[in-house]
Amino acid sequence: MIIRKKTIYLASLILILVMLGFINHELSKDSITESSNDYQKYEEELTEVSTEESELVEIVDDNTETIEVVDSKDNEINTLSKETNAEIGETLTSEQNIEKSNYFAEYRLSRDKMRSELIDRLNDIVKNDKSSKEVVEDAQKEIIEIGKNSEKELLIEGLLGSKGFDESIVFIGESDVRIVISKNEFSKKEVAQILEIVTSETEFKADNIKIINKNS
């Protein structure tokens, strides 16, 4: 009787274990299927994102292709500066301009505008990702040089004013300094004063300094 009970107990236990194994197998199969489906969806999403990113990259490339590249061999930085300085110098010494009653105010505006346009062009070169390191450095140096010359010009004009030359305009070019002063004529002493101020504030010698009088 005891043996029969044990047999029934063991049989029941085995049946329970078999049922648990079957249930576990089905659950594992469903879990694997669900995981597989989730992973497949994840891969599809990655593919879509990758495709969108590649399309964006292509658009950016298309845009950057239109950016003009500055070649250091062309010396474009030097050319831009020379052209601007030549234009400023021509405007400064033009007899037609000098004769204008509002010459000093007009010239300052013209000089500042031309230099501002040059700086804008140089900044565009600096910001251009396709500009070479050498070109960027040259453009940055030129911007600094323009700033220094502008400061010196203002300083010289102020010093001339302290010597009694109330109205004057100064332009520091590549090879010379040009000064226009509102005065009918200059004495030797006045010329010496002007030259002393300019030579002390710049690296130019007297031979490279041009003084122009504007009749009052």
Side-chain angles (χ1 to χ4, degrees), residues 88 91-92 103-112 169 171:
I88 293 174
T91 304
L92 170 68
Y103 164 80
F104 291 99
E106 267 193 27
Y107 175 74
R108 282 193 177 88
L109 289 174
S110 179
R111 180 189 61 184
D112 293 345
I169 195 78
F171 170 63

Side-chain angles (χ1 to χ4, degrees), residues 67-78 80 121-136 138-139:
I67 297 176
E68 182 180 354
V69 181
V70 178
D71 188 353
S72 60
K73 294 180 181 178
D74 294 334
N75 294 322
E76 185 168 342
I77 305 299
N78 192 30
L80 287 174
R121 294 179 70 179
L122 293 173
N123 277 325
D124 287 339
I125 293 172
V126 171
K127 295 175 183 177
N128 187 347
D129 293 335
K130 291 191 175 183
S131 295
S132 68
K133 182 180 178 181
E134 180 184 357
V135 170
V136 170
D138 288 343

Side-chain angles (χ1 to χ4, degrees), residues 23-79:
I23 292 170
N24 184 59
H25 173 72
E26 290 297 317
L27 290 174
S28 298
K29 185 171 66 175
D30 292 339
S31 177
I32 291 172
T33 301
E34 183 177 356
S35 298
S36 178
N37 291 335
D38 290 341
Y39 182 75
Q40 185 176 358
K41 290 180 180 179
Y42 174 71
E43 283 189 324
E44 291 175 354
E45 291 174 356
L46 282 180
T47 302
E48 291 176 359
V49 171
S50 177
T51 302
E52 292 174 356
E53 288 179 346
S54 64
E55 290 175 354
L56 286 175
V57 170
E58 289 176 1
I59 292 173
V60 172
D61 288 341
D62 288 340
N63 287 336
T64 54
E65 285 177 359
T66 61
I67 297 176
E68 182 180 354
V69 181
V70 178
D71 188 353
S72 60
K73 294 180 181 178
D74 294 334
N75 294 322
E76 185 168 342
I77 305 299
N78 192 30
T79 301

Side-chain angles (χ1 to χ4, degrees), residues 17 21 28 38 41-42 47 56 60 70 81-82 84 113 123 139 144-145 153 169 185 194 203:
L17 290 173
S28 298
D38 290 341
K41 290 180 180 179
Y42 174 71
T47 302
L56 286 175
V60 172
V70 178
S81 297
K82 282 185 176 181
T84 302
K113 181 182 178 182
N123 277 325
I144 293 172
E145 188 66 21
E153 289 167 355
I169 195 78
E185 57 183 6
I194 296 168
E203 297 178 355

Side-chain angles (χ1 to χ4, degrees):
M1 190 71 176
I2 296 175
I3 293 174
R4 187 178 177 184
K5 287 183 178 180
K6 287 183 178 181
T7 301
I8 295 171
Y9 175 76
L10 288 173
S12 299
L13 183 59
I14 291 171
L15 179 61
I16 291 171
L17 290 173
V18 171
M19 292 178 66
L20 288 174
F22 176 80
I23 292 170
N24 184 59
H25 173 72
E26 290 297 317
L27 290 174
S28 298
K29 185 171 66 175
D30 292 339
S31 177
I32 291 172
T33 301
E34 183 177 356
S35 298
S36 178
N37 291 335
D38 290 341
Y39 182 75
Q40 185 176 358
K41 290 180 180 179
Y42 174 71
E43 283 189 324
E44 291 175 354
E45 291 174 356
L46 282 180
T47 302
E48 291 176 359
V49 171
S50 177
T51 302
E52 292 174 356
E53 288 179 346
S54 64
E55 290 175 354
L56 286 175
V57 170
E58 289 176 1
I59 292 173
V60 172
D61 288 341
D62 288 340
N63 287 336
T64 54
E65 285 177 359
T66 61
I67 297 176
E68 182 180 354
V69 181
V70 178
D71 188 353
S72 60
K73 294 180 181 178
D74 294 334
N75 294 322
E76 185 168 342
I77 305 299
N78 192 30
T79 301
L80 287 174
S81 297
K82 282 185 176 181
E83 289 177 350
T84 302
N85 286 333
E87 189 175 358
I88 293 174
E90 184 178 349
T91 304
L92 170 68
T93 57
S94 169
E95 291 183 6
Q96 183 178 357
N97 290 337
I98 292 177
E99 291 175 358
K100 293 180 179 179
S101 59
N102 57 345
Y103 164 80
F104 291 99
E106 267 193 27
Y107 175 74
R108 282 193 177 88
L109 289 174
S110 179
R111 180 189 61 184
D112 293 345
K113 181 182 178 182
M114 284 187 280
R115 277 184 170 163
S116 177
E117 290 173 351
L118 174 59
I119 291 174
D120 286 342
R121 294 179 70 179
L122 293 173
N123 277 325
D124 287 339
I125 293 172
V126 171
K127 295 175 183 177
N128 187 347
D129 293 335
K130 291 191 175 183
S131 295
S132 68
K133 182 180 178 181
E134 180 184 357
V135 170
V136 170
E137 289 177 352
D138 288 343
Q140 290 173 332
K141 287 178 182 178
E142 188 62 30
I143 292 172
I144 293 172
E145 188 66 21
I146 292 171
K148 288 181 178 179
N149 285 341
S150 296
E151 289 180 2
K152 288 179 181 178
E153 289 167 355
L154 290 174
L155 176 60
I156 293 171
E157 289 171 2
L159 292 173
L160 290 172
S162 68
K163 295 295 182 179
F165 304 106
D166 296 331
E167 285 189 300
S168 65
I169 195 78
V170 179
F171 170 63
I172 300 175
E174 293 184 357
S175 58
D176 61 9
V177 179
R178 304 179 195 184
I179 307 164
V180 178
I181 297 176
S182 179
K183 195 172 180 63
N184 294 330
E185 57 183 6
F186 302 104
S187 65
K188 290 183 179 180
K189 180 180 179 181
E190 288 173 331
V191 171
Q193 287 179 328
I194 296 168
L195 292 176
E196 182 183 0
I197 290 173
V198 178
T199 54
S200 64
E201 298 301 330
T202 69
E203 297 178 355
F204 291 96
K205 296 180 180 180
D207 293 341
N208 300 112
I209 300 171
K210 185 177 182 179
I211 303 171
I212 303 169
N213 66 303
K214 172 177 168 49
N215 295 327
S216 302

